[in-house]
């Protein structure tokens, strides 16, 4: 059937993507799109290929067309947000991430992405709002805890910042900037041994 043929072509492209052959996958998808312009997997995967190949404008174009076909898929908005971030278009990135949350309110890292953008703009209260929203869903989500610790550090509340950093479970996935803030906070509290240990971990992970 037509649908099974489309799936076979998409699987062929996906197999190349898995091996890192984004150029080969792009060629397959561009050819397939000529006859199936509204097939969402072609559009989305072509956007991913262009993203990996650093053709960001074409990538965004394909993601926008994919979003028009299946507007409820949150992953498309996340990809668009990363492109806008690479262009330093923070407002557009925030709008894209908010659209992602509209369709998937349980995607924890999206709250952190928005929070980090506000944090980098020194809009700490807005950043805190998104970190808190994330933690209301999962009170142990490492990167949201880190976000709150970063705000406390910037407010020079070093004891609270350190206690918040201690709540991060490093046996699970976490942002490695944790070590920077742990080192800096320890240094401010004159715990130079701990500061040195975390600076060392940072250097080892460069």
């Amino acid at each position: 059937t037509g649908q099974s043929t489309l799936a076979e072509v998409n699987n062929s492209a996906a197999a190349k993507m898995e091996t890192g052959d984004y150029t080969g996958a792009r060629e397959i998808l561009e050819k397939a799109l000529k006859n199936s312009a509204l097939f969402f997997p072609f559009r989305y995967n072509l956007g991913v290929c262009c993203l990996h190949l650093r053709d960001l404008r074409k990538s965004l174009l394909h993601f926008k067309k994919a979003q028009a076909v299946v507007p409820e898929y949150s992953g498309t908005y996340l990809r668009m947000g990363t492109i806008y971030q690479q262009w330093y278009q923070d407002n557009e990135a925030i709008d894209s991430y908010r659209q992602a949350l509209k369709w998937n309110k349980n995607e924890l890292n999206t709250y952190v992405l928005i929070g980090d953008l506000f944090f980098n703009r020194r809009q700490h209260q807005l950043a805190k709002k998104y970190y808190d929203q994330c933690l209301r869903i999962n009170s142990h989500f490492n990167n949201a805890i880190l976000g709150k610790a970063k705000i406390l550090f910037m407010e020079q509340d070093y004891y609270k910042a350190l206690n918040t950093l201690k709540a991060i479970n490093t046996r699970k996935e976490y942002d490695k900037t944790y070590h920077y803030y742990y080192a800096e906070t320890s240094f401010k509290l004159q715990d130079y041994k701990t500061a040195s240990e975390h600076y060392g971990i940072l250097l080892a992970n460069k």
Side-chain angles (χ1 to χ4, degrees):
T1 64
Q3 281 299 112
S4 63
T5 302
L6 292 177
E8 286 172 12
V9 173
N10 192 61
N11 289 341
S12 175
K16 286 190 177 293
M17 291 168 72
E18 285 175 10
T19 64
D21 183 7
Y22 292 102
T23 301
R26 179 179 184 171
E27 289 171 359
I28 292 170
L29 293 167
E30 285 179 338
K31 184 178 178 181
L33 262 183
K34 292 175 182 176
N35 298 315
S36 305
L38 297 179
F39 188 57
F40 173 81
F42 288 169
R43 278 290 172 203
Y44 181 83
N45 285 334
L46 192 48
V48 173
C49 288
C50 291
L51 186 58
H52 280 277
L53 294 169
R54 308 297 303 158
D55 191 347
L56 299 186
R57 294 196 180 280
K58 279 209 174 162
S59 178
L60 183 62
L61 175 67
H62 288 301
F63 285 134
K64 283 184 173 180
K65 289 186 176 181
Q67 172 256 315
V69 176
V70 183
E72 65 272 22
Y73 182 61
S74 63
T76 309
Y77 301 100
L78 291 173
R79 297 284 192 176
M80 290 163 65
T82 63
I83 293 171
Y84 286 126
Q85 272 196 268
Q86 290 181 62
W87 288 338
Y88 301 101
Q89 295 179 9
D90 289 356
N91 290 335
E92 289 81 358
I94 289 168
D95 286 344
S96 293
Y97 294 144
R98 281 174 170 161
Q99 282 295 314
L101 285 178
K102 174 184 170 184
W103 295 105
N104 184 0
K105 289 182 169 58
N106 293 316
E107 178 51 57
L108 299 176
N109 202 53
T110 309
Y111 292 98
V112 176
L113 287 168
I114 298 172
D116 286 350
L117 280 165
F118 282 125
F119 176 81
N120 292 336
R121 290 176 9 170
R122 301 180 185 274
Q123 294 175 279
H124 292 162
Q125 287 308 305
L126 281 171
K128 184 176 181 295
K129 170 187 165 185
Y130 282 93
Y131 297 141
D132 284 340
Q133 282 183 311
C134 178
L135 291 169
R136 278 197 288 272
I137 300 170
N138 181 348
S139 61
H140 302 292
F141 193 66
N142 278 338
N143 289 345
I145 298 171
L146 175 60
K148 294 196 74 172
K150 293 187 318 191
I151 292 171
L152 290 165
F153 177 84
M154 295 304 291
E155 292 173 346
Q156 300 183 3
D157 195 340
Y158 301 123
Y159 286 104
K160 276 190 182 178
L162 184 63
N163 285 332
T164 304
L165 288 165
K166 286 179 178 177
I168 291 172
N169 182 358
T170 56
R171 291 186 299 275
K172 295 184 177 179
E173 187 178 342
Y174 69 99
D175 187 330
K176 297 305 182 286
T177 56
Y178 156 83
H179 295 291
Y180 169 80
Y181 283 98
Y182 211 115
E184 288 288 300
T185 303
S186 299
F187 189 86
K188 294 288 186 183
L189 295 172
Q190 299 184 338
D191 181 356
Y192 302 121
K193 181 176 181 294
T194 301
S196 177
E197 288 170 358
H198 282 276
Y199 284 132
I201 294 169
L202 267 180
L203 289 170
N205 283 292
K206 268 195 170 182

